[in-house]
Amino acid sequence: MRFRLLKHTRLNVVAFLNELPKTQHDIASFTVDVNTYTNTLLSFTVSGIFKEVVVDGKSRESTMAFSRVFITVPAGNSGLCIVNDQLFIRMATTEEIRRAFVAPAPTPSSSPVPTLTAPQQEMLTAFSLKSGMNLEWSQKCLQDNEWDFNRAAQIFTQLKAEGKIPDVAFIK
């Protein structure tokens, strides 16, 4: 019985997922927790809140919570292969129901982070390579110096010599 219920091929898994009821997810409730990370394994959990969508006049007002655990291994040069996927569904708590579907999820267009021009992107990459700082701190340095590469490099060199740049700036 257990073997018969277990889905073994891509087509069978997708066909099974297609049979599940249609749902609406509260994107703002999503969380991702990395459980284990090594060079050969990545395990993470995606959790959130959802409710079933009304289909053919049948309404289900129950709000549910889910946790989906993925175990992946490297595939190719830059991909991941899911070797195990477990989905857990439960009734949402009173607090989860109260907070669900009340605030719109943030969108890239409403993000306060400014979009960089192509020359700024190139300058940012070059500055990060030259300074050894991560992109976030490199961008901060360039912005603080009004995107003047030479001035930013001079200030960076001075601050680094004085030990005023935190170690976190060099974590990539």
Side-chain angles (χ1 to χ4, degrees):
M1 172 82 159
R2 182 189 295 177
F3 185 80
R4 189 175 56 81
L5 292 173
L6 192 60
K7 307 305 177 206
H8 293 278
T9 65
R10 291 178 184 163
L11 184 60
N12 288 340
V13 169
V14 172
F16 173 77
L17 292 174
N18 198 41
E19 293 173 14
L20 293 173
K22 302 301 178 217
T23 58
Q24 178 185 4
H25 289 74
D26 179 12
I27 302 298
S29 73
F30 278 28
T31 60
V32 177
D33 294 315
V34 176
N35 307 321
T36 305
Y37 175 75
T38 68
N39 290 337
T40 58
L41 178 95
L42 172 63
S43 172
F44 61 96
T45 302
V46 179
S47 301
I49 304 296
F50 72 95
K51 62 184 174 185
E52 289 186 17
V53 177
V54 176
V55 178
D56 298 330
K58 298 177 182 175
S59 175
R60 295 208 40 193
E61 288 300 319
S62 57
T63 301
M64 308 293 285
F66 73 93
S67 290
R68 193 163 181 185
V69 181
F70 295 92
I71 299 176
T72 65
V73 296
N77 292 334
S78 62
L80 292 174
C81 176
I82 299 170
V83 294
N84 195 321
D85 171 4
Q86 295 181 345
L87 175 62
F88 302 92
I89 299 175
R90 61 174 173 78
M91 296 297 293
T93 65
T94 305
E95 181 64 19
E96 289 170 329
I97 292 169
R98 186 182 67 75
R99 290 188 316 220
F101 301 100
V102 291
T107 60
S109 61
S110 67
S111 173
V113 178
T115 304
L116 301 179
T117 65
Q120 287 175 326
Q121 286 279 4
E122 290 177 22
M123 188 184 296
L124 175 60
T125 302
F127 193 85
S128 178
L129 287 171
K130 184 172 182 174
S131 68
M133 289 195 301
N134 60 40
L135 293 174
E136 178 185 356
W137 281 81
S138 295
Q139 182 173 344
K140 180 178 176 3
C141 186
L142 286 165
Q143 285 173 333
D144 289 350
N145 291 284
E146 299 168 1
W147 292 94
D148 182 330
F149 189 96
N150 293 328
R151 188 170 76 188
Q154 183 180 8
I155 301 271
F156 164 77
T157 304
Q158 177 185 345
L159 291 175
K160 186 175 180 189
E162 295 171 3
K164 293 185 177 178
I165 299 179
D167 292 340
V168 71
F170 300 97
I171 299 173
K172 294 189 178 186

